[in-house]
Amino acid sequence: MDAHDSTTELTPLVLLVDDQDDTAQSTKSILTPRGHVVLHAATGQQAIDLTGKVSPDAVLVSFDLPDADGIDLIRQLRSAPTVHSSTPILIFSRIELGRAERLEAMSAGAWDVLTHPIDANEIILRLDTFIRAKQETDRVRDQGLTDPNTGFYNVRGILRRTKEISADAHRHQRPLTCIAFGPTPVDTPQLEADETDGVAEAMSKPVATALRDVTRISDTLGRLGPGEFVVVAPGTDQDGAVRLADRVLEALRADSSRHGFGITAEALGQLRAGFYSIDAEDETSAEDILLRATMALRRAQAEDGSFRVRSYEA
């Protein structure tokens, strides 16, 4: 159950700030054939305006510009909301810069200092390394797909993965089941809402442990909220869903006896499961798959212990 999913590498967007046509064209002729999209700004102000509209993956700044000092422009770009701390900025010059100027550029936020004529292979290797690191940092920051306490997918992550898994199941004509697990709510008037959540939250560690012990590598685990989890199981039909849910419930009791967790047997007995299964021809959306599994769980929770596992019924 790896919480990390593979992502398609994005086309790098490079902002080139250079007022000299010859060096600008030379730089673009190096980057464009290698798959980089190059936005050209001839002045510092144009660069500032462009960063108000796009978020570049890298910025190349000329040391000398008609309306700005290159080092001062780097400082301004570093304060722009669309230029992140992970965005590489390189400064270049027609003449080799002295040590003091190089240090000032680095202090302003430049990652490297280049001198024209730029070696094509060198700049491609440097930019590709910098951009890969930047895009991966952006992915982790922007997508935020995992729950920090369990390592399982959070709601956003499990929805995204369910879309991918259901599309794959339909393409390969395989069934798919989504099973939601959660404790029966504590109906105690003396407890405040946050205390009730605390009771449910106490179930998180034992339930997460049981899920890790029982589920397959191909299954995807997510956390919906305090004490509530979901399993998306490709290749699993309704009968398989009941068997999987029962194994989780049995593993919960066994793990609790072995590890303790400080949870009473009565509390463990309150865990319920609801599931929704689709066949190979079903094209139910990921949102509805999760919703229907959750609705089945709510029904199981409301039935006062009659059924521990419930299927979705329209």
Side-chain angles (χ1 to χ4, degrees):
M1 286 79 62
D2 188 358
H4 300 282
D5 59 331
S6 60
T7 56
T8 302
E9 189 170 305
L10 300 176
T11 300
L13 178 63
V14 179
L15 173 59
L16 172 63
V17 191
D18 188 358
D19 67 313
Q20 301 296 315
D21 288 338
D22 57 341
T23 53
Q25 290 301 321
S26 174
T27 303
K28 285 195 282 187
S29 70
I30 294 171
L31 299 181
T32 302
R34 305 298 284 267
H36 298 73
V37 174
V38 180
L39 294 179
H40 180 214
T43 66
Q45 186 57 53
Q46 288 179 5
I48 296 296
D49 291 343
L50 281 172
T51 56
K53 301 175 182 177
V54 299
S55 179
D57 291 305
V59 184
L60 302 177
V61 177
S62 173
F63 182 76
D64 293 307
L65 292 166
D67 65 335
D69 175 83
I71 295 177
D72 286 340
L73 178 60
I74 290 175
R75 293 191 181 96
Q76 293 181 64
L77 291 172
R78 280 292 176 210
S79 65
T82 56
V83 179
H84 307 138
S85 60
S86 58
T87 305
I89 299 180
L90 288 71
I91 191 167
F92 58 87
S93 174
R94 287 175 174 269
I95 60 172
E96 188 169 345
L97 300 180
R99 181 174 182 274
E101 292 168 321
R102 293 172 66 89
L103 291 176
E104 186 180 6
M106 297 289 191
S107 178
W111 284 24
D112 207 346
V113 180
L114 307 174
T115 303
H116 274 295
I118 297 173
D119 182 274
N121 290 329
E122 181 180 357
I123 191 172
I124 287 294
L125 287 173
R126 292 190 188 194
L127 274 182
D128 283 353
T129 299
F130 291 156
I131 288 172
R132 277 197 301 271
K134 186 262 184 187
Q135 290 184 345
E136 175 63 16
T137 300
D138 287 351
R139 184 188 70 81
V140 172
R141 182 192 62 244
D142 295 341
Q143 294 180 352
L145 299 179
T146 59
D147 169 58
N149 294 320
T150 62
F152 297 170
Y153 284 102
N154 58 22
V155 174
R156 181 179 179 183
I158 197 65
L159 178 60
R160 173 172 170 173
R161 285 294 293 138
T162 302
K163 290 178 180 178
E164 297 168 349
I165 295 169
S166 61
D168 184 73
H170 181 69
R171 184 164 55 251
H172 291 94
Q173 295 292 287
R174 297 191 301 167
L176 170 72
T177 288
C178 180
I179 312 173
F181 295 88
T184 301
V186 178
D187 186 16
T188 306
Q190 292 86 352
L191 292 181
E192 299 293 335
D194 58 345
E195 294 176 308
T196 301
D197 283 346
V199 173
E201 184 61 35
M203 294 285 288
S204 291
K205 187 173 182 179
V207 175
T209 300
L211 288 171
R212 291 190 187 97
D213 288 347
V214 169
T215 52
R216 306 163 301 176
I217 293 176
S218 59
D219 297 333
T220 297
L221 304 179
R223 188 182 187 193
L224 301 178
E228 293 196 341
F229 295 86
V230 66
V231 179
V232 181
T236 301
D237 58 16
Q238 292 196 33
D239 291 339
V242 174
R243 290 194 297 270
L244 176 55
D246 283 337
R247 288 201 305 271
V248 171
L249 296 174
E250 293 301 323
L252 179 63
R253 282 194 287 270
D255 287 338
S256 183
S257 298
R258 188 165 63 249
H259 301 299
F261 295 123
I263 304 297
T264 66
E266 181 182 3
L268 292 174
Q270 295 301 308
L271 189 72
R272 297 290 180 264
F275 68 89
Y276 177 67
S277 299
I278 62 173
D279 59 30
E281 303 298 326
D282 198 326
E283 295 189 40
T284 304
S285 69
E287 291 85 353
D288 282 342
I289 291 172
L290 291 173
L291 175 61
R292 292 174 184 181
T294 304
M295 290 172 65
L297 170 62
R298 296 290 176 259
R299 183 177 179 189
Q301 290 171 326
E303 288 184 337
D304 195 27
S306 301
F307 293 92
R308 295 190 308 167
V309 182
R310 265 291 185 186
S311 65
Y312 170 79
E313 296 179 10

